Amino acid sequence: MRILRRALLGSLWAMIGWKPSFAAQVSPETMTQEEASSVTPRHVLCFLGRDRDLSRLSEAAGKAIHDFATGFSIDEDYSQAEPDDRMSRSFDVCWDRVEPDAWSETDEKAVAAHQSVLYILGPSMAQAETVKVSMTALRIVERLIEAGAVAVKGESAGIAHGLDRWRALIRQGAEAQKAGDPLAEQRIGRLAFAKRPLSARGYLESVGFHLVGLPEVYVPETAGSERQVVAIMDAVADEIGKQGLDPTLKARGASLTFDSTYEVDEFKFNPYGVLKLAG
């Protein structure tokens, strides 16, 4: 597994100017919980098409929005019926490197050969709604893959999976919803839309846990191998979901901070803070 430094994870939305909702400009190094709560996370989804025609993907997205995805919208400004030469590099940076075989050479070739780009914007999410909205985002991914999308990326954390991996996550999400298991839904939403691990000032970090209502988890680089660190991150996230934040902080001897390596006008900024495990 290859560690990618945060500086390399410049998702495309940063280039083209989307901003999250934020009431006041505050330095992330002096952020308080009250100030962080002014930030509301949202999904930005990127879909690549095989033809220089957005009609199939746009129609599928419009029907999904009408049928079940209230609050989502097609971004008309940056969607385009032509290829974007930045996509191969962007997907290369964003491929999930945790799940074995998360993407294939076929997926890479599909990205390189794409002929159109469709962006879908999610609504600003209250913390209590994040899991529900993330499950809706996963259903949108399903609809657009069925409509012919050849590659899919979650821009809000800079994460991409191959189509087979997306389909597996979609199946797992549907099973969790059918079972009425919110903890499983939160876990699957996290696996689908968050990125980990990235390096950050002596820690390995998660990015995107706010999309399911959780703080990020920072684990000291000295805690073990990359895979061991990922296992710790996922265990801590599951513990927060099961028993709550305060008991997890106490049990883990961890601290919660609202200082962030991301600016408040970046979609990667987490308004729920950062749980730091002791070194």
Side-chain angles (χ1 to χ4, degrees), residues 17-226:
W18 287 314
K19 300 291 184 182
S21 172
F22 185 61
Q25 295 301 313
V26 181
S27 168
E29 274 72 32
T30 60
M31 183 68 61
T32 66
Q33 183 171 4
E34 182 178 359
E35 290 163 340
S37 67
S38 298
V39 180
T40 51
R42 68 187 304 191
H43 284 276
V44 179
L45 303 173
C46 172
F47 300 89
L48 304 187
R50 63 169 53 90
D51 304 313
R52 292 203 180 201
D53 179 2
L54 281 175
S55 59
R56 277 187 72 188
L57 294 184
S58 294
E59 288 169 9
K63 191 171 189 310
I65 290 166
H66 176 269
D67 290 349
F68 60 82
T70 302
F72 283 79
S73 62
I74 297 171
D75 186 274
E76 304 287 354
D77 293 327
Y78 298 110
S79 297
Q80 59 185 55
E82 60 184 47
D84 185 329
D85 61 10
R86 298 170 294 187
M87 283 298 168
S88 288
R89 181 180 183 277
S90 180
F91 270 79
D92 183 60
V93 170
C94 293
W95 291 122
D96 176 26
R97 288 172 168 82
V98 174
E99 181 70 18
D101 302 316
W103 84 100
S104 67
E105 185 179 351
T106 299
D107 294 304
E108 291 182 294
K109 288 180 178 178
V111 172
H114 81 280
Q115 295 297 304
S116 54
V117 186
L118 182 76
Y119 290 102
I120 296 180
L121 309 180
S124 295
M125 300 183 288
Q127 187 173 14
E129 296 295 315
T130 52
V131 174
K132 178 182 177 181
V133 176
S134 290
M135 289 296 97
T136 300
L138 202 52
R139 292 182 66 193
I140 292 175
V141 173
E142 179 181 26
R143 283 284 185 95
L144 267 71
I145 290 175
E146 291 174 349
V150 298
V152 183
K153 175 157 55 81
E155 296 286 0
S156 297
I159 184 68
H161 310 282
L163 293 190
D164 286 345
R165 174 61 176 160
W166 277 117
R167 292 185 182 104
L169 290 164
I170 289 161
R171 287 193 299 271
Q172 293 165 18
E175 290 167 0
Q177 288 185 297
K178 184 177 180 180
D181 188 342
L183 291 178
E185 291 176 34
Q186 185 179 63
R187 184 180 308 112
I188 292 154
R190 175 166 51 78
L191 295 176
F193 296 113
K195 179 82 171 177
R196 78 257 194 263
L198 302 171
S199 60
R201 300 183 299 194
Y203 288 85
L204 298 181
E205 66 175 7
S206 67
V207 179
F209 281 11
H210 57 313
L211 298 172
V212 290
L214 297 172
E216 303 303 343
V217 178
Y218 281 26
V219 181
E221 290 179 338
T222 55
S225 70
E226 293 170 23

